[in-house]
Every structure is written in C-alpha cells, then in structure tokens.
Amino acid sequence: MDALSMSLQMRDPYTRFHCDRVGTMCEQLGRYCDLDATDLSHLALAARFHDIGKIGIPDNVLLHPARLDDDQRAIMRTHPERGERIFAATGRADAQAVARLIRGHHEAYDGSGYPDGLRGSDIPLAARVLTVVDAWDAMTSERPYRDAMERSRVMFLLEDASGGMIDPQVLGAFQHLLRREPGLG
C-alpha cells in the first residue's frame, strides 16, 4: 500500500494529499453513518486510493491548468475503472471489495454518474459516503484552474446536488458531523 501511495504522490502531489484528506474525513463520516468495522476498513482504503487510476491519465489531461474540454473529460472519467483494476491487482483479501468502492466513487444517487450509471442503494453506502467527501474536499481545495471555494458555497452546491449526484441521507449526516466538528473539513 505504501508503494501505491508513493506512486500517486510522485505522479501528482495534489491528488495524493487530496486522497489523504478524503480518507480522514471518510472514516469519520463512515462511523457516523454506522458502517460496520469491515465496511469502515474498506472505505478507509478506498478513500485513500480512490484516485489511484489517475496514474494512467496522460499529463495533458491530468495536469491541464484549466477546465477540461469534452474529450479530456472523457479521458479523466476513465480513472475509476483504471483505479479498480490497479487496486484489484494488489491481491489483498479485501481487494475486490475496495476496488468496487473505487469504481463507484463517481456514481450518482439519481443514476446519472459513471462508469456504470448505478442509482440509489445500488451504489454501496461506503461509495456514497466517498462521493460526498470527495466533492467537498475537491471544492474546498485550491485547484490549478481556480481558488478554493468558501465552505458555505460548497455546502450550497452539495445541497443543490442532493437527490441528484448526492445521497440526501449521507449529506444530512455529513452536515450534522460538520456542525459537531467544525474543524473537520
């Protein structure tokens, strides 16, 4: 696992630190959503490596300093499937369960996500947790093409996506958790 983490850091330091932050927040939100110990363990690993598939994304897409065009976005959208294959190749006993969460972290609650167009409870709860935290961290972090967004603006955008990209119950749990622990995010 350390070799995978180092590979991600060497490929793109932003992605590595994003994954670390997402991992910390996912563990706390997963506990808050009453995931059992096994699911929490899978979520912790999936969060840490959810973007490992970006290792296979060409530099002109991964490191592009502006918004991606449609062709670049299509290439970037392959990273969950690439990540699934990379993690599955670790041979760990839990590799398939973790790889499934990695594959599912861009699925949307309303079925409009990718790569499989899963909907609602067909998306594992741990992947729905990962989706919320991933979106939160991505928007509250500085990116090459924009500054970090204000937390209140990000929460507005997540609320607007509730029932669409975001599971409303997971978002409610996340909001409650942030009220209880404002320094978390």
Side-chain angles (χ1 to χ4, degrees):
M1 295 296 91
D2 289 339
L4 277 181
S5 183
M6 181 60 70
S7 297
L8 190 56
Q9 180 174 342
M10 292 180 83
R11 179 71 174 103
D12 179 24
Y14 167 81
T15 298
R16 157 70 193 299
F17 293 117
H18 163 71
C19 289
D20 288 348
R21 290 188 305 270
V22 169
T24 298
M25 290 182 15
C26 274
E27 285 187 72
Q28 292 182 0
L29 182 57
R31 276 191 207 92
Y32 200 78
C33 290
D34 294 323
L35 292 178
D36 65 29
T38 300
D39 287 339
L40 272 175
S41 174
H42 295 163
L43 174 58
L45 278 171
R48 186 173 173 202
F49 295 106
H50 72 278
D51 282 340
I52 194 70
K54 289 184 178 179
I55 287 174
I57 301 296
D59 284 350
N60 68 322
V61 174
L62 182 65
L63 305 176
H64 191 69
R67 289 203 176 272
L68 301 177
D69 65 27
D70 289 344
D71 291 338
Q72 292 167 321
R73 195 172 305 109
I75 293 167
M76 184 62 83
R77 283 182 168 211
T78 67
H79 84 271
E81 295 163 281
R82 292 170 189 259
E84 174 190 37
R85 288 193 310 270
I86 291 168
F87 201 88
T90 65
R92 294 173 50 101
D94 59 0
Q96 293 304 317
V98 174
R100 180 175 179 232
L101 299 178
I102 291 170
R103 181 181 181 94
H105 81 276
H106 280 292
E107 296 292 351
Y109 192 73
D110 67 358
S112 65
Y114 60 92
D116 301 311
L118 299 178
R119 164 186 306 270
S121 62
D122 290 338
I123 306 165
L125 176 57
R128 288 180 272 148
V129 167
L130 180 51
T131 298
V132 170
V133 175
D134 182 36
W136 171 267
D137 188 77
M139 290 188 281
T140 58
S141 300
E142 188 172 320
R143 304 301 288 259
Y145 54 89
R146 67 156 172 78
D147 292 334
M149 299 168 94
E150 293 291 326
R151 289 170 57 128
S152 59
R153 171 81 175 132
V154 173
M155 191 55 70
F156 172 81
L157 292 171
L158 291 177
E159 288 170 351
D160 191 51
S162 181
M165 179 180 88
I166 301 294
D167 178 331
Q169 291 182 334
V170 174
L171 178 59
F174 184 63
Q175 290 171 316
H176 194 264
L177 182 61
L178 286 179
R179 283 192 296 274
R180 283 188 40 203
E181 298 183 39
L184 177 63

